[in-house]
Amino acid sequence: MVFHVLTLFPEMIEGCMQTSITGRAIEKGLLTLDVRNIRDYTLDKHGKVDDYTYGGGAGMLMQAQPVYDAWNSIPGKGIRTIYLTPQGRTFDQKMAADFASEEELIFLCGHYEGIDERVLEETVTDYVSIGDYVLTGGELPAMVMMDTISRLLPGVLHNDDSADTESFQNGLLEYPQYSRPEEWHGKKVPAILLSGDHKKVDEWRLEQSEKRTQERRPDLYEAYMEQKRLYEEQHPPKRRKK
Ligand code: 6GU
C-alpha cells in the first residue's frame, strides 16, 4: 500500500507514522509513505498558499494552484483521493476495509477555513470525516485513517488473527482480557480462561462480547441482534429425523 499525503505540515505526518506498528510496516516495506508539502508547489514567490475568501467572511482559504500542482505531481492515474473534512461521510471500520483493498491512496489535508472549491471538484473522489466535531486541519484525521487501514494489510500485525477478532469486525466489542499474574489486587482471572477448554473459552468470550456491547454500545448491539435474527431466519435449525 502506498499512502500519498498532501499537507502543509509534513513533519506532523512523518513523525507519527514512523512510530510503532506503522513505523515497522514502513521498515518492512509493507507500507510506503509519500508526504508532499503543498507549499513546495506554490508559484507565489513569497511561498504563499492561502488568500482571503470572495464574498468576505472570517479566515483564509487554501488556493487552488498549489493544491492542484501538488496533487498532479503524484505519478499514476485514477488514484482515489480522500479530502478530510467534517462535511464528509463518517469514517468507520467498513470504509477502512474498502480503502484497504486499494493499492494507493491520496490524502488531501486542508487547513485554515478549507480549500478553494474548484480544485476539490477536479481532484477529490471521497469526502471523509472522522466524527461530529471540528479539528484545525486534516492531518489528524488522515493519520487516524492511515492507522486504521494499515492494521488491515497482510503482515502488518504479528498475529493475522487479531485484526479480525477485535472490536467491530463481527459487529461486537471485544471481550475482557487478562495476563499474568493470576491474582492482582485480590481480583482473580476468570477460572474458565485457565481451564484449557478452548470451546468453553470461545463460548465465554462471545457471551462477554455480547454483554459488553449491550451495556456500552446499545446502538451496535441492536444492529448485531438484527443481523443475528436475519441469519437465523435464513438458516433455520435442521429438524432431526424421527
Ligand atoms: Cl476530516 N477535518 C476537520 N478539520 N475536522 C474534522 C474532521 C476532519 N473530522 C472530524 N472533524
Side-chain angles (χ1 to χ4, degrees), residues 13 17 22 30 52 56 60 66 86 95 121 124 150 152-153 155 163 167 171-172 188 190 199 216 223 227 231:
I13 305 286
M17 292 299 290
T22 48
L30 301 170
Y52 298 99
M60 306 285 274
M95 209 191 285
E121 287 171 9
V124 175
S150 297
L152 298 176
L153 303 175
S167 298
L172 290 174
K188 290 201 167 75
K199 188 159 172 278
R216 298 187 184 181
Q227 280 303 109
Y231 179 86

Side-chain angles (χ1 to χ4, degrees), residues 3-15 17 33-42 47 49 62 66-71 73-74 82-84 106-112 115 136-143 146:
F3 291 142
H4 304 276
V5 185
L6 304 177
T7 172
L8 290 173
F9 302 96
E11 64 291 348
M12 201 173 159
I13 305 286
E14 274 158 358
M17 292 299 290
L33 187 64
D34 166 41
V35 186
R36 296 173 193 234
N37 190 340
I38 293 169
R39 198 175 299 281
D40 293 343
Y41 295 87
T42 183
V49 291
M62 284 168 69
V67 171
Y68 188 72
D69 288 356
W71 179 80
S73 73
I74 299 168
I82 300 159
Y83 179 49
L84 291 311
I106 300 173
F107 294 90
L108 173 56
C109 306
H111 246 270
Y112 314 113
I115 302 183
T136 57
E139 285 76 12
L140 285 170
M143 290 191 283
M146 290 190 283

Side-chain angles (χ1 to χ4, degrees), residues 83-87 110 128-139 141-142:
Y83 179 49
L84 291 311
T85 166
Q87 299 177 12
V128 181
S129 164
I130 61 163
D132 289 339
Y133 39 82
V134 182
L135 299 163
T136 57
E139 285 76 12

